[in-house]
Amino acid sequence: MNRFAFFILLLGMGVGLIAQENAAGISFQQGEFQAMLDKAKAENKLIFMDVYTTWCGPCKMLDRNTFSDAQVGSKFNAGFVNYKLDAEKGEGIAIARKYAVRAYPNMLFINGQGEVVHRVVGYRPPEELLKEGDAAAQKAATMKPLSWFDENYAAKKTDKSFMQAYATQLKIANKDNSKVLGEYLALLSPEEKVAEPAVKLAADNLTQLEGPAYELLAGIMREASKHPRGVLQAAYSGLMQVKSSTFQKAVLNKDRKLLDKLIQVSKETDGPGATAQIEQYEMEFAKATGDLGMIRKSSEQKAETFMKYKKEELAKMDVEQYALFKRQALAEGVDTTAAQFKMMEDMMKNSASQGAAQELNNLAWSYVETMTDKADWTKALAWSARSLELDRDANYLDTYGNLLYKLGRKPEAIKIATEALEKANPEQREGFMETLDKMKKGTL
């Protein structure tokens, strides 16, 4: 199984629809979204909707670290109608599209009329989510309908606070706000434009890889050393969201020109991570267009890089990268007691080994999904086996089991699939049980 987890190093950012009956944390409601809207309207509350995917690592960290917090649970259970939505299942697909969800986790505060009052993208520790809840409640208390903004636009288009609110309301209504947002930014001084409030507004409302908002955020990332952490975090988040939506559009339309434009933007704004991101874009686009030759060439070149490292070499790299991470954190004055830092610290202790394992697994899984030749599956089996030497993760076991099955090694495949199921977390179990059942029946 493919396993992707998004996190932003040193910038401080960072499953089934099951009600959490944990008295110490948030209790999520069950049912259709319309029922949540009816409940919110009847109780005069906002819906707090956690939009997630089963493969999203930060989504799981929210469940584990934030939604389970007693103080968060007390506040949110009393003040909101709490709801979880899988963006890739059932009505979640249409709802995520309606509310322009482009990155995960994506947490929306929605009123009974179905209007988004406040949006939070990315992992948040308990203390920050509590602040976001307060911000949502304050916005809901003063929120004016879009019609009011439309009527007053001509008279107030030089009023900064009005234009700021208007741009936000247009985005909430899923309407094009690029003109209003550009006009708002034009009212600001150079200092105001790169201050956190304006950057956050631009990031939250960015919808395309051009225009004043995009140029502002891209410029900030090109000169990252000149800006504080909060500004960088907001700029990165906004660019990440619009790049994700642009990539989805390029894949859907098989638009190579749009993909090339996205790749150029990645080169300009993704810094040291650009190469890996571009490789991912190319691979996923090749899958979508059925270009098996490109998949094979790209996969084998990348796999060769990771296969050459011995386990002991990666362990040494783990130590070196962890030491570098600590030095950078100290030099930048990072709060090493913060929950987000602790989360990143845990990841960095074996980042090289984990990174190699994940990359090899992802390459192997791409062959499960796309290839039909046994020679290709045999190569992928070697990549998968190496990932398991580094980390016997349930997802990696699932990949290995699928490849064994495709190669006709059914008893071995069932044994590995059984181990994957035993290691699976609750969000994975249903899919792994289905895989195992099909293996036993010979219908996978």
Side-chain angles (χ1 to χ4, degrees):
M1 178 176 287
N2 204 342
R3 183 187 182 191
F4 293 103
F6 170 76
F7 61 87
I8 299 175
L9 183 60
L10 295 173
L11 292 185
M13 278 191 69
V15 124
L17 189 56
I18 301 172
Q20 293 184 2
E21 299 298 339
N22 184 353
I26 295 179
S27 178
F28 287 98
Q29 304 290 312
Q30 290 181 305
E32 299 295 319
F33 180 59
Q34 184 59 51
M36 301 302 112
L37 289 172
D38 295 341
K39 184 176 178 65
K41 187 180 295 185
E43 298 180 6
N44 194 28
K45 291 181 178 179
L46 294 175
I47 298 170
F48 170 66
M49 184 165 72
D50 171 39
V51 186
Y52 68 94
T53 67
T54 56
W55 48 259
C56 166
C59 298
K60 294 179 174 64
M61 286 187 281
L62 276 173
D63 283 331
R64 185 167 60 248
N65 303 332
T66 303
F67 297 158
S68 61
D69 181 80
Q71 192 173 357
V72 171
S74 177
K75 188 181 192 74
F76 277 63
N77 291 337
F80 303 101
V81 175
N82 302 300
Y83 187 56
K84 273 188 173 292
L85 189 76
D86 187 331
E88 297 180 335
K89 287 185 179 179
E91 68 170 345
I93 298 171
I95 293 172
R97 186 179 303 118
K98 174 183 177 181
Y99 288 113
V101 173
R102 304 184 185 98
Y104 308 97
N106 211 300
M107 294 167 276
L108 307 178
F109 293 84
I110 302 172
N111 64 23
Q113 287 70 48
E115 301 167 325
V116 177
V117 174
H118 188 56
R119 183 190 300 261
V120 182
V121 180
Y123 175 80
R124 293 294 188 276
E127 61 273 15
E128 289 192 17
L129 188 61
L130 288 168
K131 292 177 182 178
E132 299 287 2
D134 289 337
Q138 290 171 7
K139 286 183 180 181
T142 58
M143 186 173 172
K144 293 183 182 297
L146 182 59
S147 59
W148 181 86
F149 287 94
D150 291 337
E151 292 166 4
N152 288 275
Y153 169 56
K156 291 180 173 288
K157 64 188 307 180
T158 59
D159 182 328
K160 292 179 183 177
S161 60
F162 172 86
M163 293 296 283
Q164 180 184 31
Y166 191 20
T168 301
Q169 286 300 94
L170 286 167
K171 175 66 181 299
I172 286 172
N174 205 22
K175 295 187 175 183
D176 182 15
N177 70 348
S178 55
K179 178 175 180 290
V180 172
L181 182 58
E183 290 172 342
Y184 164 70
L185 292 173
L187 296 173
L188 304 182
S189 68
E191 294 76 19
E192 288 175 320
K193 281 185 180 179
V194 294
E196 196 165 332
V199 175
K200 281 188 173 181
L201 181 72
D204 288 344
N205 290 277
L206 187 64
T207 58
Q208 51 194 336
L209 294 174
E210 58 189 10
Y214 168 74
E215 292 300 333
L216 172 63
L217 302 185
I220 287 171
M221 294 309 301
R222 282 193 291 266
E223 300 183 323
S225 62
K226 296 182 179 180
H227 301 283
R229 187 179 306 279
V231 168
L232 287 174
Q233 177 179 333
Y236 195 107
S237 176
L239 288 169
M240 179 270 292
Q241 290 185 68
V242 76
K243 284 186 286 189
S244 176
S245 63
T246 300
F247 178 68
Q248 291 172 20
K249 184 177 179 181
V251 169
L252 181 65
N253 298 321
K254 298 184 179 180
D255 187 338
R256 181 70 216 192
K257 287 185 178 179
L258 185 58
L259 181 71
D260 289 340
K261 181 177 181 178
L262 179 60
I263 287 172
Q264 184 59 43
V265 168
S266 182
K267 290 177 180 177
E268 295 173 356
T269 62
D270 284 337
T275 300
Q277 183 61 75
I278 291 167
E279 286 177 351
Q280 188 64 47
Y281 288 149
E282 292 281 14
M283 176 66 78
E284 294 301 319
F285 191 80
K287 289 181 188 177
T289 56
D291 188 345
L292 297 186
M294 175 60 74
I295 294 172
R296 188 176 288 112
K297 179 181 177 181
S298 177
S299 297
E300 292 181 8
Q301 287 177 344
K302 196 170 184 180
E304 184 180 0
T305 299
F306 290 100
M307 290 291 283
K308 71 179 181 181
Y309 291 111
K310 296 180 180 179
K311 189 173 183 179
E312 295 74 20
E313 291 176 303
L314 288 168
K316 182 179 178 182
M317 292 168 63
D318 288 337
V319 174
E320 293 170 348
Q321 291 186 15
Y322 177 64
L324 176 61
F325 167 79
K326 296 280 281 186
R327 288 197 300 272
Q328 288 177 331
L330 182 63
E332 295 187 22
V334 174
D335 180 5
T336 58
T337 64
Q340 288 164 303
F341 177 82
K342 295 295 185 185
M343 176 187 72
M344 290 303 306
E345 186 177 31
D346 287 342
M347 290 180 178
M348 290 304 298
K349 287 178 179 177
N350 55 1
S351 60
S353 297
Q354 289 294 314
Q358 183 167 319
E359 289 288 355
L360 287 166
N361 173 73
N362 291 346
L363 292 170
W365 182 255
S366 73
Y367 273 36
V368 172
E369 292 182 309
T370 60
M371 297 304 185
T372 58
D373 190 277
K374 285 192 174 183
D376 289 318
W377 294 335
T378 300
K379 289 178 183 178
L381 189 70
W383 306 338
S384 181
R386 178 61 61 84
S387 75
L388 290 175
E389 289 176 11
L390 300 170
D391 183 3
R392 213 163 177 82
D393 179 270
N395 288 291
Y396 305 168
L397 287 162
D398 179 67
T399 299
Y400 193 64
N402 272 269
L403 287 165
L404 287 170
Y405 184 87
K406 285 181 176 293
L407 288 166
R409 296 160 62 176
K410 182 177 175 181
E412 294 173 80
I414 290 173
K415 181 179 179 180
I416 292 295
T418 301
E419 184 181 350
L421 181 60
E422 291 171 351
K423 290 179 177 289
N425 61 40
E427 292 78 34
Q428 299 167 319
R429 288 189 62 81
E430 182 179 351
F432 286 2
M433 287 179 68
E434 182 179 352
T435 296
L436 181 58
D437 184 55
K438 286 182 178 180
M439 282 183 180
K440 290 178 178 178
K441 294 177 179 179
T443 58
L444 184 64

